[in-house]
Amino acid sequence: MDLITKYNRPGPRYTSYPAYPHWDNKPSDQDWINELHQYRDLRVDLYLHIPYCQSLCTYCGCTRTISKNLDKGMDYTALLLKEWRLYKEEFPHLTIDSLHFGGGTPTFLRPEYLRAILDNLEGSFSESFSGAAEIDPRVTSIQHLNVLKDFGINRLSLGIQDFDPLVQKICNRIQPPEMVRSFLKDVRALEIENINFDLIYGLPGQSLSSIEETIGIVKEMKPTTIALYGYAHVPWRSKAQKSLERYKIAAGEEKRALYERSKELLLDVGYRELGLDHFALEGSELMSAYERGELKRTFMGYTAQKAPVTLGLGASAISSSPRTFVQNEKEVKNYSEKLARDKLPLFNGHILSLRDQACSQVIQSIMCQGKAEYENLFNLLGDIERETLLGELQELFEDGLIEYNAKSLRVLERGKPFLRNISMIFDHRLTKVQNQFSKTV
Ligand SMILES: C[S@@+](CC[C@H](N)C(=O)[O-])C[C@H]1O[C@@H](n2cnc3c(N)ncnc32)[C@H](O)[C@@H]1O
Ligand code: SF4
């Protein structure tokens, strides 16, 4: 527990490297197109961002816009398809290996809009295509599920967060277990078996006993994988979180205890922990990718995806290749204006330097496999920097978090809660704007 006090400080979650606030080398639209032309047969993982939600969950730290007007989905569908056409004109042979509907809330779109999108994309699906969607059970109908099933979307990630009635009330997200049970029955009747639950620990109103109850209900519903995210309190970015400050929000040791108790209960019934804050059943796609050393960490969290390029469509969506990130305009209005002029709706981005690429490789490996080799990175450093880094690794070693030598490290059981801190040692951009991040533990 002393270690938590020592290491708990603001830091990136490393869903990208460099972390978003450190992007400072923006590519032009043409740079991005040229980057994609490097791939003779362009295969992509497609990410489609639907920014709308019908109501606001007060804890939410995601990029979303609240609206009750479902008609907005029609215009937005047309924009997504326009963006897709711009890419398709430039890359007629582009193939989609996988597709991920994210949000916001993808099923804010009426079933017919989802069908229109998938109808347009289907011709580009690869032979091994698989698809996933983030699902809010409160606003997803059997018609939505049928459309997703028709197009081979076989992985659903359900936003659950917590089953305690008081926590749900505080968070403005009423979603009783009976509602989720009945929803799961519909999902399983369609033979969609690959189900993830998103849960959050550290929400206001949670206690050890309430989280035990939540995990008890989750166990009985038996999702294939579970993301148990630490609540990220970032009210300077997500203003609604300010309203939660009148409640007690667990931090430090108390917050970690909520995770450890949940973990204990999940391991008891056959889940295994992987990476940071994730659990999976033996034999699941994610666990198999982890065991093969092929797990990847992206803006969508941990994935088993393999394509080198992620193409993000939609307002605020992020695309990436091993050397480049680009992000679309964040506001639908700006996104729409650029598309109306037949321009790619790009707004921000970053071309990775050689050092960024070497850091990224080390940090991905720590976050996904709990080990890393840093010879490539060390070859780019001077003697002083290398010595400083080894000195910092020595401190982690003395705290019992890692084993290491001059070329590689391995994270020990005691180090697992501190994957973000261990990664931070290799992050040469960190000195600048650290306070923008949530706490590491
Ligand atoms: C982008 S949301 C999409 C899910 C979908 N809109 C829903 O809520 O059902 C993905 C997940 O991010 C997690 N999340 C949102 N805000 C968070 C926060 N402040 N801290 C930690 N996790 C958060 C939640 O677990 C949520 O399910
Ligand atoms: S948690 Fe999901 S449904 Fe709630 S506001 Fe955030 S994105 Fe929307």
Side-chain angles (χ1 to χ4, degrees), residues 53 55-57 59-60 62 64 66 103-105 136 138 161 173:
C53 300
S55 61
L56 177 67
C57 313
Y59 59 78
C60 180
C62 307
R64 34 70 192 148
I66 308 301
T105 305
D136 178 345
R138 297 171 302 165
Q161 327 309 350
R173 185 173 179 129

Side-chain angles (χ1 to χ4, degrees), residues 155-364:
R155 282 175 286 128
L156 299 187
S157 177
L158 273 55
I160 301 293
Q161 327 309 350
D162 192 288
F163 277 123
D164 185 82
L166 175 67
V167 178
Q168 292 196 351
K169 187 156 180 271
I170 291 174
C171 295
N172 191 35
R173 185 173 179 129
I174 305 297
Q175 189 176 293
E178 311 80 70
M179 176 203 279
V180 176
R181 253 181 228 116
S182 138
F183 182 77
L184 278 175
K185 217 164 140 199
D186 290 342
V187 170
R188 288 184 166 133
L190 288 172
E191 294 177 354
I192 301 177
E193 294 297 339
N194 206 329
I195 298 163
N196 175 71
F197 274 14
D198 281 348
L199 304 174
I200 304 182
Y201 70 95
L203 288 172
Q206 270 178 352
S207 63
L208 270 180
S209 64
S210 80
I211 210 158
E212 280 172 4
E213 291 233 354
T214 288
I215 300 291
I217 301 168
V218 168
K219 278 182 348 192
E220 157 232 320
M221 295 180 178
K222 215 156 189 236
T224 335
T225 59
I226 295 170
L228 178 56
Y229 295 117
Y231 170 55
H233 190 61
V234 285
W236 53 93
R237 230 174 41 216
S238 297
K239 304 264 179 298
Q241 291 185 345
K242 264 257 164 245
S243 71
L244 299 179
E245 288 176 357
R246 63 199 147 110
Y247 304 98
K248 186 169 167 291
I249 304 176
E253 295 173 14
E254 212 183 323
K255 182 177 178 190
R256 188 66 199 174
L258 295 169
Y259 179 85
E260 292 297 335
R261 183 65 188 129
S262 309
K263 170 175 162 180
E264 209 177 337
L265 295 169
L266 291 172
L267 298 189
D268 261 0
V269 290
Y271 287 93
R272 280 179 56 196
E273 191 183 28
L274 58 83
L276 183 78
D277 298 350
H278 278 65
F279 297 86
L281 287 174
E282 211 64 67
S284 60
E285 196 186 11
L286 212 60
M287 186 50 76
S288 307
Y290 174 65
E291 283 167 346
R292 291 195 305 271
E294 288 174 3
L295 200 63
K296 281 208 300 194
R297 187 160 170 85
T298 71
F299 285 100
M300 289 156 270
Y302 286 108
T303 78
Q305 293 167 358
K306 291 204 197 79
V309 173
T310 297
L311 194 59
L313 305 185
S316 83
I318 291 175
S319 305
S320 65
S321 75
R323 284 172 299 220
T324 313
F325 289 109
V326 289
Q327 183 184 32
N328 281 349
E329 288 286 350
K330 291 185 181 178
E331 302 296 330
V332 175
K333 185 169 168 286
N334 301 338
Y335 169 71
S336 153
E337 276 170 11
K338 283 199 175 160
L339 284 171
R341 286 185 280 128
D342 289 337
K343 268 177 67 68
L344 284 183
L346 303 184
F347 147 80
N348 192 8
H350 181 79
I351 301 174
L352 280 78
S353 64
L354 277 180
R355 176 141 179 202
D356 286 336
Q357 290 175 45
C359 287
S360 168
Q361 204 186 9
V362 172
I363 290 175
Q364 272 274 338

